[in-house]
Amino acid sequence: MWSTFLIAMPAVLFIVDPIGVVPLFVAMTASDPVEKCRAMAARACLTATGVLIFFALFGTLVFKIFGVTLAAFRVAGGFLLMLTALDMLRAQHPATKTSPEEAREGVEREDIAIVPLAMPLLAGPGAIATVMVLMAEYGSDWANAAIVVGCIGATFAITYLLLRSANLVKRVLRQTGIAVLERVFGLILAAIAVQFVFEGGKALLRG
């Protein structure tokens, strides 16, 4: 259970990357009052939590419907995580989450809570693939499954607190501090991605 937590918590937290979302959130809500920004952050985090928990609990049905093995999905998810990690190591916003066009559209939106904040910024393809792999790998018993779900909840509790205080976080860390954290998170995420690919590749070779 402890090892499940040590793998699941950083994997979910770093792929969601709340620190990296802060500058985008500040830009998209620049003209909105504080109360509205906090309400949008709360709705976005609740929506993203629901999306990831849904895929964590029922994502294995996708394997059965499409005849995809866990090993193949681990390799695919590992490559997707690696793409995100490489962008983070370059202190760039991951292209696997949202495109520049979507970011510009978010600035123009009156309410960004669901799109693009909840999806795809917080609960994007990489996050969905990650929780599905984690649950398929470690969710064979209820205790480990609860840990994975708990890690999702904890990640978005942290995300809400950061978005709630987004302007303060950006002022304290500044762009340099955010870039440094992005690179540290990216390095750890790259290691997790390599582990996913390695374990999935071994299982494919055995199969």
Side-chain angles (χ1 to χ4, degrees):
M1 290 175 62
W2 182 243
S3 63
T4 299
F5 175 79
L6 289 178
I7 293 173
M9 189 64 205
V12 178
L13 180 62
F14 298 156
I15 191 63
V16 171
D17 187 23
I19 289 289
V21 174
V22 164
L24 285 172
F25 182 71
V26 170
M28 291 178 180
T29 59
S31 59
D32 294 321
V34 174
E35 293 78 10
K36 182 179 179 180
C37 293
R38 290 177 176 175
M40 286 192 291
R43 282 190 291 119
C45 290
L46 286 173
T47 302
T49 301
V51 168
L52 292 193
I53 289 177
F54 174 83
F55 279 102
L57 296 178
F58 303 106
T60 51
L61 292 176
V62 175
F63 298 155
K64 296 178 181 178
I65 292 172
F66 292 101
V68 177
T69 65
L70 171 60
F73 201 81
R74 286 198 74 159
V75 173
F79 281 127
L80 188 56
L81 289 186
M82 183 58 73
L83 290 175
T84 302
L86 291 175
D87 283 338
M88 292 171 70
L89 286 169
R90 294 193 295 265
Q92 297 175 353
H93 188 73
T96 55
K97 284 192 170 187
T98 184
S99 65
E101 292 77 14
E102 288 173 312
R104 284 194 295 269
E105 183 180 342
V107 174
E108 299 167 1
R109 278 180 178 269
E110 184 67 23
D111 191 326
I112 63 165
I114 308 302
V115 178
L117 187 54
M119 293 184 69
L121 282 175
L122 296 177
I128 290 171
T130 299
V131 298
M132 287 174 64
V133 169
L134 289 170
M135 188 61 80
E137 182 72 14
Y138 303 105
S140 55
D141 63 88
W142 68 268
N144 283 320
I147 288 173
V148 174
V149 171
C151 288
I152 295 172
T155 292
F156 285 107
I158 294 169
T159 301
Y160 171 69
L161 292 176
L162 288 173
L163 294 181
R164 179 184 170 89
S165 310
N167 284 295
L168 176 61
V169 172
K170 192 173 181 182
R171 283 200 303 271
V172 170
L173 293 179
R174 300 185 179 275
Q175 194 60 42
T176 301
I178 290 175
V180 169
L181 286 178
E182 284 277 287
R183 289 186 172 97
V184 172
F185 289 176
L187 183 60
I188 298 173
L189 193 61
I192 294 171
V194 170
Q195 186 68 26
F196 276 15
V197 173
F198 177 71
E199 295 293 339
K202 280 201 307 182
L204 284 174
L205 290 174
R206 286 198 303 268

